[in-house]
Amino acid sequence: MKAFTDMTRGRKLLLLLLCLIALTAAALLATRLAPSEETAEDTTQVIFSLDPDQVTDLSWTYDGSTVTLRKDGDSNWSYPDEAFPLDAAYPDAMVQALSEVEAAKTIQEPEDLASYGLEEGVCTVSVTAGEETHTLTFGDETSLGGQRYLSLGDGAVYLVDSTLLDDFALGLYDLVEEETIPSMADLTNLSIETSGGTLSIDYQEEGGLAYSDQYTWFWDQEGSLTALDSSLTQSLVDTVTGLTWNACVDYQATEDTLGTYGLDVPAATVTVQYTESTQVETNETDENGDPVYETQETPATFTLELGDYDGDTCYARLAGSSMVYRIDGSVADTLLAAKGSDLLPQDVILLDWEDVTGVDITLDGTTYTLDKEVQEETDEDGSTTETYVYQLEGETVEITDALDTLADLEVSGSDAGAAPGTEEIAFTFHQDKEAFPTVTLTFSQYDSSSCLVTLNGESRLLVSRDGLLDLMDTFRTLLQGE
């Protein structure tokens, strides 16, 4: 029993000793983070300020790279290489950040600058304003975060907002003024030229080019237009019009150096033709004396060249430009793999139902002819509305919902050019359209799980056989009264 008691006391002493060690370490850490009252001041104060308009020279060293800029009397910033496309917003933001620097704490007598990360510094900034040049050195971020040690070379160490470094944590190529990619909202043509050929896509809103006016994108094959799926094609177009530069890697590429990026012979040339709209004055005024503007539309062209991949990015440039960028590799993947056949409509049928005048349905060897009639209904308030109904031999058949279901059939696959098997059900839609007075839709056997869709003589899409058989039962009930 005594031995057990001694063991218990020993454990308690060990725990007390460990707690003492932990408290001592915490006290030492607190001393490190919060110097004694004799050497530290906790009052927030402005420790550095300058007039941004007086700055003439600015340089900083970050991550082993030094950038030096100069501002002339007209407040224009420049880099020693005059060809460098400097975005002046960056140095402007830098000197503005230095216009007034506040410290939350001042350590007047630091024992060892290295312990604050200030012996070499994370970033060193030199700025000349008027006749004076100042040097600011950023050290480590505090363990609790949110603050960073800063030296002004006056022997003290200051704790400043850690975000102050963000304006200077930049290399030369971070300062590039990138070329603007136009909005290209009113696009008329997209072409992608690769070693495998050219994909040309037109945007046409005029009717009569397809059996449905809902199709506006067309695959242009030497003047022959084929309707494309609106969603798939718009996604491809958005890949181009939504393009952004990841980073500039060369601002002065030449014919001799373009090969470094695979841009001497581009992997793809992407051309967008669009209409650019601008507001121009008419030299007239309205009744309030304000100038009157009109919209001026001008054809414009955007051309992008894709080069080699570099990791998960791809080199790219605007045609004829000396500036080379990285873009997301997924963008290049999409553009290089684009094929017209992959953009064909995924709709079983996409009719403009208001243009349909009637439909012939062939089911179980019998053809049923339904005419669409307009019926007027007047409510109790006297308002008249028009509704469309289908009639079979003078009798109204509530078939509208079933016809709508055709467009909702889920596509399960495709087999372009497959020979139709035994016919299951067929439709001939009559339209009030000169170019496409009829639209034919046939479902035939394909295999045990799918049926083949033939639209206007073209067989390509597959739908679920079970889903089609259910729909056929619905039409039997409506047409045959089963």
Side-chain angles (χ1 to χ4, degrees), residues 171-211:
L172 178 62
Y173 276 87
D174 295 319
L175 311 179
V176 168
E177 184 174 17
E178 299 173 342
E179 294 165 298
T180 301
I181 298 174
S183 63
M184 297 178 283
D186 194 3
L187 185 148
T188 57
N189 176 270
L190 166 66
S191 70
I192 304 173
E193 180 183 355
T194 66
S195 59
T198 300
L199 169 63
S200 180
I201 298 172
D202 292 338
Y203 182 80
Q204 301 269 9
E205 287 188 340
E206 62 182 270
L209 297 177
Y211 76 88

Short mmCIF file of all heavy atoms in Angstrom, two decimals, residues 171-211:
data_model
loop_
_atom_site.label_atom_id
_atom_site.label_comp_id
_atom_site.label_asym_id
_atom_site.label_seq_id
_atom_site.Cartn_x
_atom_site.Cartn_y
_atom_site.Cartn_z
N GLY A 171 7.35 40.53 -58.31
CA GLY A 171 8.50 40.52 -59.19
C GLY A 171 8.21 41.37 -60.41
O GLY A 171 7.11 41.93 -60.57
N LEU A 172 9.18 41.48 -61.30
CA LEU A 172 9.05 42.35 -62.47
C LEU A 172 7.83 41.99 -63.32
O LEU A 172 7.04 42.86 -63.71
CB LEU A 172 10.32 42.28 -63.32
CG LEU A 172 10.30 43.12 -64.60
CD1 LEU A 172 10.17 44.60 -64.27
CD2 LEU A 172 11.56 42.85 -65.43
N TYR A 173 7.64 40.69 -63.60
CA TYR A 173 6.56 40.30 -64.49
C TYR A 173 5.18 40.43 -63.85
O TYR A 173 4.17 40.36 -64.55
CB TYR A 173 6.79 38.89 -65.01
CG TYR A 173 7.72 38.87 -66.21
CD1 TYR A 173 9.10 38.82 -66.05
CD2 TYR A 173 7.21 38.97 -67.50
CE1 TYR A 173 9.95 38.83 -67.15
CE2 TYR A 173 8.05 38.98 -68.61
CZ TYR A 173 9.42 38.92 -68.42
OH TYR A 173 10.25 38.94 -69.51
N ASP A 174 5.16 40.64 -62.54
CA ASP A 174 3.88 40.93 -61.90
C ASP A 174 3.40 42.35 -62.22
O ASP A 174 2.23 42.68 -61.99
CB ASP A 174 3.99 40.78 -60.37
CG ASP A 174 4.28 39.35 -59.96
OD1 ASP A 174 3.68 38.44 -60.56
OD2 ASP A 174 5.11 39.14 -59.06
N LEU A 175 4.30 43.17 -62.73
CA LEU A 175 3.98 44.57 -63.00
C LEU A 175 3.56 44.82 -64.45
O LEU A 175 3.31 45.96 -64.83
CB LEU A 175 5.19 45.46 -62.68
CG LEU A 175 5.89 45.27 -61.34
CD1 LEU A 175 7.06 46.22 -61.22
CD2 LEU A 175 4.91 45.48 -60.20
N VAL A 176 3.49 43.76 -65.23
CA VAL A 176 3.19 43.92 -66.65
C VAL A 176 1.77 44.43 -66.86
O VAL A 176 0.82 43.94 -66.24
CB VAL A 176 3.37 42.57 -67.38
CG1 VAL A 176 2.78 42.64 -68.79
CG2 VAL A 176 4.85 42.21 -67.45
N GLU A 177 1.64 45.38 -67.73
CA GLU A 177 0.31 45.83 -68.17
C GLU A 177 -0.09 44.91 -69.32
O GLU A 177 0.39 45.06 -70.45
CB GLU A 177 0.32 47.28 -68.63
CG GLU A 177 -1.05 47.79 -69.01
CD GLU A 177 -1.07 49.28 -69.32
OE1 GLU A 177 0.02 49.85 -69.55
OE2 GLU A 177 -2.16 49.86 -69.35
N GLU A 178 -0.96 43.96 -69.02
CA GLU A 178 -1.33 42.95 -70.00
C GLU A 178 -2.22 43.53 -71.09
O GLU A 178 -2.96 44.49 -70.88
CB GLU A 178 -2.03 41.79 -69.30
CG GLU A 178 -1.15 41.09 -68.27
CD GLU A 178 -1.91 40.06 -67.46
OE1 GLU A 178 -3.16 40.13 -67.46
OE2 GLU A 178 -1.27 39.20 -66.83
N GLU A 179 -2.13 42.92 -72.25
CA GLU A 179 -2.99 43.33 -73.36
C GLU A 179 -4.44 42.99 -73.05
O GLU A 179 -4.74 41.97 -72.42
CB GLU A 179 -2.54 42.62 -74.65
CG GLU A 179 -1.16 43.07 -75.11
CD GLU A 179 -0.58 42.13 -76.15
OE1 GLU A 179 -0.37 40.95 -75.82
OE2 GLU A 179 -0.33 42.58 -77.28
N THR A 180 -5.32 43.85 -73.48
CA THR A 180 -6.75 43.68 -73.19
C THR A 180 -7.38 42.68 -74.14
O THR A 180 -7.14 42.71 -75.35
CB THR A 180 -7.47 45.04 -73.32
OG1 THR A 180 -6.89 45.96 -72.41
CG2 THR A 180 -8.95 44.88 -73.00
N ILE A 181 -8.18 41.80 -73.56
CA ILE A 181 -8.98 40.88 -74.37
C ILE A 181 -10.36 41.49 -74.52
O ILE A 181 -11.03 41.76 -73.52
CB ILE A 181 -9.07 39.50 -73.68
CG1 ILE A 181 -7.67 38.89 -73.54
CG2 ILE A 181 -9.98 38.57 -74.48
CD1 ILE A 181 -7.63 37.61 -72.76
N PRO A 182 -10.81 41.76 -75.73
CA PRO A 182 -12.11 42.45 -75.92
C PRO A 182 -13.27 41.60 -75.44
O PRO A 182 -13.16 40.38 -75.26
CB PRO A 182 -12.16 42.68 -77.44
CG PRO A 182 -11.28 41.63 -78.02
CD PRO A 182 -10.18 41.43 -77.03
N SER A 183 -14.40 42.25 -75.22
CA SER A 183 -15.57 41.54 -74.70
C SER A 183 -16.17 40.59 -75.74
O SER A 183 -16.68 39.53 -75.39
CB SER A 183 -16.63 42.55 -74.24
OG SER A 183 -17.09 43.32 -75.34
N MET A 184 -16.16 40.95 -76.99
CA MET A 184 -16.66 40.10 -78.09
C MET A 184 -18.08 39.59 -77.83
O MET A 184 -18.41 38.43 -78.05
CB MET A 184 -15.71 38.90 -78.30
CG MET A 184 -14.32 39.30 -78.72
SD MET A 184 -13.20 37.88 -78.92
CE MET A 184 -12.80 37.51 -77.20
N ALA A 185 -18.93 40.48 -77.33
CA ALA A 185 -20.29 40.08 -76.98
C ALA A 185 -21.12 39.74 -78.22
O ALA A 185 -21.92 38.80 -78.21
CB ALA A 185 -20.97 41.18 -76.18
N ASP A 186 -20.94 40.49 -79.29
CA ASP A 186 -21.75 40.31 -80.50
C ASP A 186 -20.94 39.51 -81.52
O ASP A 186 -20.48 40.04 -82.53
CB ASP A 186 -22.15 41.68 -81.05
CG ASP A 186 -23.26 41.58 -82.08
OD1 ASP A 186 -23.75 40.46 -82.32
OD2 ASP A 186 -23.62 42.62 -82.66
N LEU A 187 -20.78 38.22 -81.26
CA LEU A 187 -19.92 37.37 -82.08
C LEU A 187 -20.66 36.90 -83.33
O LEU A 187 -21.84 36.57 -83.28
CB LEU A 187 -19.47 36.19 -81.24
CG LEU A 187 -18.47 35.20 -81.82
CD1 LEU A 187 -17.59 34.63 -80.70
CD2 LEU A 187 -19.19 34.06 -82.52
N THR A 188 -19.94 36.86 -84.47
CA THR A 188 -20.56 36.40 -85.71
C THR A 188 -19.90 35.12 -86.23
O THR A 188 -20.55 34.35 -86.94
CB THR A 188 -20.46 37.49 -86.80
OG1 THR A 188 -19.08 37.86 -86.98
CG2 THR A 188 -21.26 38.72 -86.40
N ASN A 189 -18.63 34.87 -85.91
CA ASN A 189 -17.97 33.67 -86.38
C ASN A 189 -16.81 33.31 -85.45
O ASN A 189 -16.11 34.18 -84.94
CB ASN A 189 -17.44 33.83 -87.80
CG ASN A 189 -16.65 32.62 -88.29
OD1 ASN A 189 -15.44 32.55 -88.12
ND2 ASN A 189 -17.34 31.67 -88.87
N LEU A 190 -16.65 32.01 -85.23
CA LEU A 190 -15.51 31.48 -84.49
C LEU A 190 -14.86 30.42 -85.35
O LEU A 190 -15.53 29.50 -85.83
CB LEU A 190 -15.97 30.87 -83.16
CG LEU A 190 -14.95 29.99 -82.42
CD1 LEU A 190 -13.77 30.83 -81.94
CD2 LEU A 190 -15.60 29.25 -81.25
N SER A 191 -13.55 30.54 -85.55
CA SER A 191 -12.85 29.50 -86.29
C SER A 191 -11.63 29.05 -85.49
O SER A 191 -10.97 29.86 -84.83
CB SER A 191 -12.43 29.98 -87.68
OG SER A 191 -11.39 30.95 -87.58
N ILE A 192 -11.36 27.74 -85.54
CA ILE A 192 -10.21 27.17 -84.85
C ILE A 192 -9.42 26.36 -85.88
O ILE A 192 -9.90 25.35 -86.39
CB ILE A 192 -10.64 26.25 -83.69
CG1 ILE A 192 -11.54 27.02 -82.71
CG2 ILE A 192 -9.43 25.69 -82.97
CD1 ILE A 192 -12.14 26.15 -81.62
N GLU A 193 -8.22 26.84 -86.18
CA GLU A 193 -7.39 26.19 -87.19
C GLU A 193 -6.27 25.41 -86.50
O GLU A 193 -5.49 25.96 -85.73
CB GLU A 193 -6.80 27.23 -88.13
CG GLU A 193 -5.92 26.64 -89.23
CD GLU A 193 -5.29 27.70 -90.11
OE1 GLU A 193 -5.63 28.89 -89.92
OE2 GLU A 193 -4.47 27.34 -90.97
N THR A 194 -6.21 24.12 -86.76
CA THR A 194 -5.15 23.26 -86.24
C THR A 194 -4.55 22.47 -87.40
O THR A 194 -4.99 22.60 -88.55
CB THR A 194 -5.69 22.28 -85.18
OG1 THR A 194 -6.60 21.36 -85.80
CG2 THR A 194 -6.42 23.04 -84.07
N SER A 195 -3.58 21.63 -87.09
CA SER A 195 -2.97 20.81 -88.14
C SER A 195 -3.98 19.83 -88.72
O SER A 195 -3.81 19.33 -89.84
CB SER A 195 -1.78 20.04 -87.57
OG SER A 195 -2.18 19.22 -86.49
N GLY A 196 -5.05 19.54 -87.97
CA GLY A 196 -6.07 18.60 -88.45
C GLY A 196 -7.15 19.23 -89.29
O GLY A 196 -8.03 18.53 -89.80
N GLY A 197 -7.13 20.55 -89.45
CA GLY A 197 -8.14 21.22 -90.26
C GLY A 197 -8.68 22.45 -89.54
O GLY A 197 -8.16 22.88 -88.51
N THR A 198 -9.76 23.00 -90.08
CA THR A 198 -10.35 24.22 -89.53
C THR A 198 -11.82 23.98 -89.19
O THR A 198 -12.58 23.49 -90.02
CB THR A 198 -10.24 25.39 -90.52
OG1 THR A 198 -8.87 25.65 -90.81
CG2 THR A 198 -10.87 26.65 -89.94
N LEU A 199 -12.17 24.31 -87.97
CA LEU A 199 -13.56 24.29 -87.54
C LEU A 199 -14.09 25.71 -87.62
O LEU A 199 -13.55 26.62 -86.98
CB LEU A 199 -13.67 23.76 -86.10
CG LEU A 199 -15.04 23.91 -85.42
CD1 LEU A 199 -16.10 23.10 -86.16
CD2 LEU A 199 -14.96 23.49 -83.96
N SER A 200 -15.15 25.92 -88.41
CA SER A 200 -15.73 27.26 -88.57
C SER A 200 -17.18 27.22 -88.10
O SER A 200 -17.97 26.38 -88.55
CB SER A 200 -15.66 27.70 -90.03
OG SER A 200 -16.24 28.99 -90.19
N ILE A 201 -17.52 28.14 -87.20
CA ILE A 201 -18.86 28.19 -86.62
C ILE A 201 -19.43 29.59 -86.83
O ILE A 201 -18.80 30.58 -86.47
CB ILE A 201 -18.82 27.87 -85.11
CG1 ILE A 201 -18.29 26.45 -84.89
CG2 ILE A 201 -20.19 28.02 -84.49
CD1 ILE A 201 -18.04 26.11 -83.43
N ASP A 202 -20.63 29.64 -87.41
CA ASP A 202 -21.31 30.92 -87.65
C ASP A 202 -22.45 31.09 -86.65
O ASP A 202 -23.09 30.12 -86.24
CB ASP A 202 -21.90 30.97 -89.06
CG ASP A 202 -20.83 31.01 -90.13
OD1 ASP A 202 -19.70 31.41 -89.82
OD2 ASP A 202 -21.13 30.60 -91.27
N TYR A 203 -22.69 32.34 -86.29
CA TYR A 203 -23.87 32.68 -85.50
C TYR A 203 -24.87 33.35 -86.43
O TYR A 203 -24.58 34.38 -87.04
CB TYR A 203 -23.53 33.61 -84.34
CG TYR A 203 -24.72 33.95 -83.47
CD1 TYR A 203 -25.16 33.06 -82.50
CD2 TYR A 203 -25.41 35.16 -83.64
CE1 TYR A 203 -26.27 33.36 -81.72
CE2 TYR A 203 -26.51 35.46 -82.86
CZ TYR A 203 -26.93 34.56 -81.90
OH TYR A 203 -28.03 34.85 -81.11
N GLN A 204 -26.04 32.75 -86.58
CA GLN A 204 -27.06 33.27 -87.50
C GLN A 204 -28.40 33.28 -86.78
O GLN A 204 -28.89 32.23 -86.34
CB GLN A 204 -27.17 32.37 -88.73
CG GLN A 204 -25.88 32.22 -89.51
CD GLN A 204 -25.76 33.26 -90.61
OE1 GLN A 204 -26.56 34.19 -90.67
NE2 GLN A 204 -24.78 33.10 -91.47
N GLU A 205 -29.01 34.45 -86.66
CA GLU A 205 -30.32 34.54 -86.02
C GLU A 205 -31.46 34.49 -87.03
O GLU A 205 -32.61 34.26 -86.65
CB GLU A 205 -30.43 35.84 -85.21
CG GLU A 205 -29.62 35.82 -83.92
CD GLU A 205 -29.91 37.03 -83.06
OE1 GLU A 205 -30.40 38.03 -83.60
OE2 GLU A 205 -29.62 36.96 -81.85
N GLU A 206 -31.14 34.66 -88.28
CA GLU A 206 -32.21 34.66 -89.29
C GLU A 206 -32.81 33.25 -89.40
O GLU A 206 -32.12 32.24 -89.28
CB GLU A 206 -31.66 35.09 -90.64
CG GLU A 206 -30.58 34.19 -91.19
CD GLU A 206 -30.03 34.69 -92.51
OE1 GLU A 206 -30.59 34.30 -93.55
OE2 GLU A 206 -29.05 35.44 -92.47
N GLY A 207 -34.10 33.18 -89.59
CA GLY A 207 -34.80 31.91 -89.65
C GLY A 207 -34.61 31.22 -90.99
O GLY A 207 -34.06 31.77 -91.94
N GLY A 208 -35.05 29.95 -91.03
CA GLY A 208 -35.03 29.22 -92.29
C GLY A 208 -33.78 28.42 -92.54
O GLY A 208 -33.68 27.71 -93.53
N LEU A 209 -32.79 28.50 -91.64
CA LEU A 209 -31.55 27.75 -91.84
C LEU A 209 -31.62 26.35 -91.25
O LEU A 209 -30.82 25.49 -91.58
CB LEU A 209 -30.37 28.51 -91.21
CG LEU A 209 -30.08 29.88 -91.81
CD1 LEU A 209 -28.96 30.57 -91.05
CD2 LEU A 209 -29.71 29.73 -93.29
N ALA A 210 -32.57 26.14 -90.35
CA ALA A 210 -32.79 24.82 -89.74
C ALA A 210 -34.28 24.63 -89.56
O ALA A 210 -35.07 25.58 -89.69
CB ALA A 210 -32.05 24.71 -88.41
N TYR A 211 -34.70 23.41 -89.26
CA TYR A 211 -36.13 23.15 -89.09
C TYR A 211 -36.71 23.89 -87.90
O TYR A 211 -37.92 24.11 -87.81
CB TYR A 211 -36.38 21.65 -88.97
CG TYR A 211 -36.02 21.05 -87.62
CD1 TYR A 211 -36.95 21.03 -86.58
CD2 TYR A 211 -34.77 20.49 -87.40
CE1 TYR A 211 -36.62 20.47 -85.35
CE2 TYR A 211 -34.44 19.94 -86.17
CZ TYR A 211 -35.35 19.93 -85.15
OH TYR A 211 -35.04 19.39 -83.93
#
